[in-house]
Amino acid sequence: MKFPFKAFLSILFVVLPSADASPLRRDTGKATLSFAARVNARGAVNVADADRARAQAMKQAGSMGKRAGRSSFTIANGVVTYTAQVGIGSPATEYTLLIDTGSSNTWLGASAPYNPTSTSVDTGNTVSVSYGSGKFSGEEYTDTVTLSTGLVIAEQYIGVASSADGFDGVDGILGVGPADLTEGTVSNVNTVPTVTDNLYSQGIIGTETLGIYFVPPSVPDSAGELTFGGHDGSKTTSSVTYFPLTTTTPASYYWGIDQSISYGHSTILSETAGIVDTGTTLILIASDALSKYQTATGATMDETTGLLMITSGQYDKLKTLTFKIGGQAYGLTPNAQIWPRSLNADIGGASDSIYLIVGDIGSNSGSGLDFINGYAFLQRYYSVFDTTNNQVGFATTPHTDATCN
């Protein structure tokens, strides 16, 4: 499956069945779906440019405020992908949908046509969503959505595209972001419930939370998990600590938190608002903070990859990069600060070079969205997105201090 890079902004993974007969595991009001990273070796991809474009689009959309037709954003780049086979209707037709925590509309019809069944109801409302370099519009339906055995949602709002641009190779999106991101996208309604909303309201899960377990792609067993209705304690090595969502806009329209960042003993970004985003590959920080980080590490900019590059001698001297959230410190070791060297070729880099995974968000601090803790952070810490209590949580995992890169 080929995903045109210009159609997307950021990172994806492929949902694959586990070794069991079913990829779903249930445990008292929660359900876990396994997935595994799959690398698409398609030549050079400037990950930094893609991430920065996504960040700027999210800032612009968030600054528009509610009821302004705010855009949502997919999670994709040309290096790693993830999708899910989702059943729609009864009997169900399977569609290949992108799993996206950065948007909240679930829709299909970009490739395979919608197959209405006895459970399909046309609401008469129209739907339109822009994803930066991709967009769709069409009719809003309700229908039965089957994520897996035991995860069957009745009367889920879905968009059926009559026009879709930028989604070659997939049928649409399974949106699992905050429900407010649907505001202004469907006519005659304020917002529409997400699949997570309905899993909770229909009693399928016990709390409206989504736990995400990423694994560094350089780890031999790179299987990860999405857990609806809680988190999987077998994947963590500490308890989950929760933090309230930020009230600062535009970060508050997403999974936003307040944090500061230090390198060694020096603060490079004072406490400010930003977001946690599975759809961003790197860790993006404000331009003035990145300048301090670059000076401290001695890195130079590599124009091909768009990433900061260091020598092996500079790598040996790297200090811990610490994210302080609500008084709790989350550190990235030197190994966690570098791009997996086994994937250098996939971003157009040299096999023997060392690239840093901290990039420029594209504006100085004070914008209201001064950092993005992306996949490079989340592959070292388990994350929980809790709609019920308006909070985000983190826990350590066996990979927090791994030297796999």
Side-chain angles (χ1 to χ4, degrees):
M1 182 181 296
K2 183 176 180 181
F3 297 91
F5 172 67
K6 68 179 182 179
F8 302 107
L9 301 174
S10 229
I11 209 168
L12 286 178
F13 295 158
V14 180
V15 173
L16 299 176
S18 65
D20 299 332
S22 169
L24 182 71
R25 184 171 68 254
R26 294 190 58 79
D27 178 22
T28 314
K30 65 181 180 181
T32 294
L33 190 65
S34 297
F35 61 85
R38 177 178 293 173
V39 176
N40 296 325
R42 301 202 297 98
V45 173
N46 193 310
V47 179
D49 281 352
D51 274 0
R52 190 157 41 250
R54 174 183 173 87
Q56 293 305 309
M58 294 178 90
K59 280 187 181 182
Q60 182 179 4
S63 66
M64 295 169 64
K66 295 183 177 182
R67 304 183 184 279
R70 192 165 61 249
S71 300
S72 305
F73 306 92
T74 59
I75 44 176
N77 77 8
V79 182
V80 188
T81 60
Y82 82 89
T83 63
Q85 296 302 117
V86 177
I88 308 292
S90 182
T93 300
E94 281 199 346
Y95 299 90
T96 302
L97 304 184
L98 304 177
I99 300 174
D100 188 2
T101 61
S103 69
S104 301
N105 294 80
T106 291
W107 64 275
L108 54 87
S111 296
Y114 179 48
N115 181 30
T117 66
S118 61
T119 57
S120 307
V121 177
D122 188 341
T123 67
N125 298 330
T126 60
V127 57
S128 179
V129 184
S130 174
Y131 297 85
S133 56
K135 60 184 178 180
F136 91 95
S137 60
E139 291 287 319
E140 190 78 357
Y141 280 69
T142 62
D143 209 337
T144 299
V145 172
T146 303
L147 301 180
S148 190
T149 304
L151 283 180
V152 181
I153 308 167
E155 299 181 351
Q156 172 65 46
Y157 278 90
I158 61 168
V160 175
S162 57
S163 173
D165 297 316
F167 299 96
D168 294 347
V170 295
D171 296 318
I173 291 176
L174 179 70
V176 291
D180 279 355
L181 293 177
T182 68
E183 193 166 352
T185 61
V186 178
S187 65
N188 300 316
V189 297
N190 185 23
T191 61
V192 296
T194 67
V195 292
T196 313
D197 291 336
N198 279 335
L199 285 170
Y200 176 64
S201 66
Q202 294 177 23
I204 300 169
I205 57 177
T207 182
E208 194 170 351
T209 59
L210 178 65
I212 301 181
Y213 174 62
F214 285 132
V215 178
S218 47
V219 172
D221 179 10
S222 58
E225 291 183 348
L226 299 175
T227 297
F228 293 90
H231 71 278
D232 185 351
S234 71
K235 297 298 188 292
T236 62
T237 56
S238 73
S239 59
V240 178
T241 302
Y242 290 94
F243 307 98
L245 299 181
T246 186
T247 58
T248 302
T249 58
S252 59
Y253 292 122
Y254 305 93
W255 290 109
I257 58 173
D258 296 311
Q259 76 175 9
S260 62
I261 304 175
S262 61
Y263 176 75
H265 297 295
S266 301
T267 298
I268 61 173
L269 184 65
S270 298
E271 184 171 287
T272 187
I275 66 174
V276 183
D277 181 32
T278 62
T280 299
T281 306
L282 307 173
I283 294 166
L284 298 184
I285 60 177
S287 302
D288 48 330
L290 184 72
S291 179
K292 294 177 183 178
Y293 179 70
Q294 181 176 357
T295 298
T297 59
T300 58
M301 178 59 67
D302 178 67
E303 297 300 331
T304 300
T305 63
L307 300 178
L308 293 176
M309 184 171 61
I310 57 175
T311 66
S312 58
Q314 290 169 330
Y315 171 73
D316 291 338
K317 297 178 181 178
L318 275 183
K319 301 175 182 177
T320 300
L321 186 66
T322 302
F323 301 74
K324 191 172 184 180
I325 311 168
Q328 183 76 22
Y330 297 91
L332 290 187
T333 63
N335 189 263
Q337 293 175 57
I338 66 172
W339 180 259
R341 281 169 278 193
S342 61
L343 300 183
N344 279 0
D346 296 289
I347 57 171
S351 60
D352 58 350
S353 293
I354 303 174
Y355 303 100
L356 297 172
I357 49 78
V358 182
D360 186 1
I361 204 169
S363 57
N364 285 330
S365 55
S367 70
L369 203 166
D370 292 335
F371 64 83
I372 299 180
N373 292 0
Y375 168 70
F377 177 88
L378 297 172
Q379 67 183 338
R380 300 292 181 148
Y381 290 97
Y382 193 103
S383 55
V384 182
F385 302 86
D386 183 351
T387 299
T388 300
N389 299 297
N390 295 312
Q391 59 188 4
V392 174
F394 301 105
T396 58
T397 78
H399 306 290
T400 296
D401 298 321
T403 57
C404 53
N405 289 340

